[in-house]
Amino acid sequence: MRKRTLRRVDVLERAERSHRLDQQSSLATIAFFCRKILLGHYVGHLSPDEEDPGEAEARALSYESRDDYLEALFKGQKSEINKRFKNAARRLFAQAGLDFDRSPPSALSESFVRLLHELPPQWMNWLTSSLQEECRIGPAGTESNMPLKFFLSAAGDRPAACRRRLKR
């Protein structure tokens, strides 16, 4: 009886760990897409005729092209990329009147959400579509801010977490 109970507890603990990892993966994917679109739109001067914000994100990171950014990723230039992300974040939050290095995290978070809310419909649709595809999130219905709810909440009652890794 004791062995059987211990096995059941072990199975439940594994399921809980798996659920938490799925949830963390989902939140990381959501953060990735939100950051990509915000940097591309506000810092990389994403134009309405572009289909994907990848090139604009590369511009926001001060790369000549998306290919140069991808090359840096493949070469493992992590410290250089992180430095460029911090500089891009400084420029992004400066547009909102915030100092990235000195503002409280709550102010940065609120600004991040506000900037997401202010995205043009074309880019909010891109974000929603990308999240639905990558995270297998059900249709957002009529609520255009649905990705924000996923991004802001780590509650366990959220839809299924992402199962696929980014391939882009």
Side-chain angles (χ1 to χ4, degrees):
M1 178 81 157
R2 180 174 156 85
K3 271 187 170 181
R4 186 174 180 194
T5 303
L6 289 174
R7 274 197 308 255
R8 285 183 180 172
V9 168
D10 188 47
V11 167
L12 288 172
E13 286 175 346
R14 275 191 250 150
E16 176 63 21
R17 277 193 301 273
S18 176
H19 174 72
R20 285 185 185 166
L21 289 173
D22 284 348
Q23 198 172 44
Q24 288 172 351
S25 175
S26 181
L27 290 173
T29 300
I30 291 166
F32 169 82
F33 280 109
C34 289
R35 184 192 70 221
K36 178 181 189 127
I37 194 69
L38 287 181
L39 290 178
H41 179 71
Y42 292 104
V43 182
H45 309 289
L46 182 61
S47 67
D49 63 331
E50 292 181 76
E51 291 183 23
D52 182 284
E55 194 69 39
E57 179 191 29
R59 288 192 301 268
L61 298 175
S62 300
Y63 285 101
E64 291 292 319
S65 70
R66 184 178 188 178
D67 290 340
D68 290 343
Y69 172 43
L70 292 175
E71 185 177 328
L73 284 171
F74 289 128
K75 286 183 177 179
Q77 298 173 346
K78 188 175 182 176
S79 64
E80 176 64 23
I81 293 168
N82 286 339
K83 187 185 328 177
R84 289 174 183 248
F85 266 110
K86 282 187 179 182
N87 288 333
R90 287 181 182 102
R91 295 192 313 271
L92 174 69
F93 289 108
Q95 291 180 27
L98 296 172
D99 182 326
F100 178 73
D101 298 308
R102 293 194 173 99
S103 295
S106 61
L108 295 173
S109 179
E110 288 172 19
S111 178
F112 190 88
V113 170
R114 184 181 51 75
L115 291 170
L116 279 170
H117 275 291
E118 294 173 359
L119 280 172
Q122 171 187 0
W123 298 116
M124 184 55 84
N125 291 338
W126 177 89
L127 179 59
T128 302
S129 173
S130 296
L131 291 175
Q132 287 172 349
E133 178 184 325
E134 293 297 329
C135 296
R136 297 181 185 161
I137 295 170
T142 59
E143 295 185 42
S144 64
N145 68 347
M146 200 63 163
L148 301 178
K149 291 179 182 178
F150 293 111
F151 178 76
L152 295 173
S153 175
D157 61 345
R158 293 293 161 217
C162 292
R163 305 264 189 257
R164 294 184 280 150
R165 291 282 173 211
L166 294 176
K167 296 180 181 176
R168 294 182 183 146

